[in-house]
Amino acid sequence: MIIKDAVCPFCGCLCDDIEVEVEGNRVVAVTNACELGKTKFMGEQRLKNPILRDGDRWKETTYDEAIQYTVDMLLSAERPLLYGWSGTHGEAQCVGVHMAELIRGVADNTSSVCHGPSILAIQEVGHPGCTLGVVKNRADLVIYWGSNPIDAHPRHLSRYTRYAEGFFLENAFRDRKVIVIDVRKTETANIADEFVQIKPGGDYAVISALRAIVQGKTGTIPRTVAGVTREQLIRVANLCKSAKFGAVYFGLGLTMTQGKYKNIRNAIELVGELNRHTKFTISAMRGHYNVYGSNEVNTWMTGYPFGIDFSRGIAFYNPGETTAVDILARKECDAALVVGSDPAAHFPRKCIEHLADIPVVQLDPYPNATTAFCNVQIPVAVTGIDAEGTAYRMDGVPIRTRQVLSSDYPSDREVLSKMYTMMREALGR
Ligand code: SF4
């Protein structure tokens, strides 16, 4: 059986043109996906049953026991952390927020360690963004700043920019210019029309120089800015001003480098100034599958996109204080539920050491780095492959994902809903 128009559940591109060939409830071939997507669809070696730590060994347990363990752990915790959420659907994220509110815990998602600073900048100055479809059909200039889509979002280039046909571009490959701005020559830089190499930590200065040139203050620019010559800065600014429609896509190389959210604010303001000359947009290259959705769901439920602390009985948000890394580093949290992410693969050592000291339950189909720090791991259906639901693409477009395999595994939403019901009963609410 061939399933058409399946949605890839790996990166924020959420490619929705995937063809999946299924035989005997196994994926045997995947068409249109990149290697990352294919590997996700064909992934194996998942856990068969929930596992429970027993001394220095694992023993298998039942779903009922594993769920009961999690409910008891969260109800007896004083400062529980519910973390992750970018690898699961909006329906499960919604239950997670309800759970965090019920037990006065902290709900945080992976954006607090990726594009959290970008969101802070957008909260300050807004977001002149657009959908990927608009860029594909209209943009004659695309800038990748601190992002390397060939490695992280491989089909971004073929579906929307470098190699994509555009409705309003006669010959998109010839007429669309691509500029890469980065601290090193990446694979994406190799296929760009112009590569601007910045000294590490120099992004803010380069954005400011481009703003000055766009404002006509070229005489104020020194001979080099963060390793970039004045001539190249003027050339890039002129390319931007003369484009009919420009789009900036920035990655963690801009958001998580020196300057952090100030870089993004400065870049948004550069785009604002370019809009006095032509049309320009700017958007983040969101990485994890449904990380954009976790921000959306949290925001429409609580008013805040990540790092939401319910310990006061109301939603409280203060990134740097109420975010997972900070709570773990201060050894504040005394239990953690991890859903749809792998914090042990990304968090600083100090945080992981604290995770090793507290009870941790993880919902994930596969063993991963966090498994080593869990007391219980509950295998669930693979989101977007054997469980359908809603995910948000990196440009904020919600997409209904398809189920391509049938499965006996419960989905994240089903397991979380059961936990939530048991907690409400235990608390009499
Ligand atoms: Fe999947 Fe991303 Fe590759 Fe598209 S670009 S197929 S969403 S991994």
Side-chain angles (χ1 to χ4, degrees), residues 240-316:
C240 292
K241 281 167 72 177
S242 58
K244 288 192 187 128
F245 190 111
V248 179
Y249 286 105
F250 62 91
L252 297 187
L254 187 62
T255 306
M256 280 297 186
T257 189
Q258 191 178 332
K260 285 206 161 181
Y261 95 100
K262 290 287 186 189
N263 289 341
I264 308 305
R265 182 184 167 135
N266 209 9
I268 291 173
E269 288 175 332
L270 166 64
V271 165
E273 275 150 18
L274 284 167
N275 272 301
R276 293 184 189 151
H277 301 271
T278 181
K279 292 189 180 63
F280 239 87
T281 68
I282 179 167
S283 296
M285 295 288 279
R286 304 305 302 268
H288 294 105
Y289 170 51
N290 190 27
V291 64
Y292 197 111
S294 63
N295 299 139
E296 287 289 306
V297 170
N298 282 334
T299 303
W300 51 253
M301 290 184 74
T302 71
Y304 306 114
F306 60 92
I308 305 139
D309 182 354
F310 288 100
S311 63
R312 294 161 175 81
I314 54 157
F316 175 75

Side-chain angles (χ1 to χ4, degrees), residues 7-18 30-38 40-41 149 151-160 287 289 394:
V7 180
C8 173
F10 190 83
C11 85
C13 286
L14 259 72
C15 295
D16 55 359
D17 60 344
I18 311 295
V30 181
T31 311
N32 289 342
C34 67
E35 282 307 312
L36 297 173
K38 269 186 203 159
K40 179 82 184 182
F41 273 106
D151 280 348
H153 305 79
R155 295 187 75 217
H156 198 271
L157 294 144
S158 57
R159 292 195 87 199
Y160 306 113
Y289 170 51
M394 63 162 69

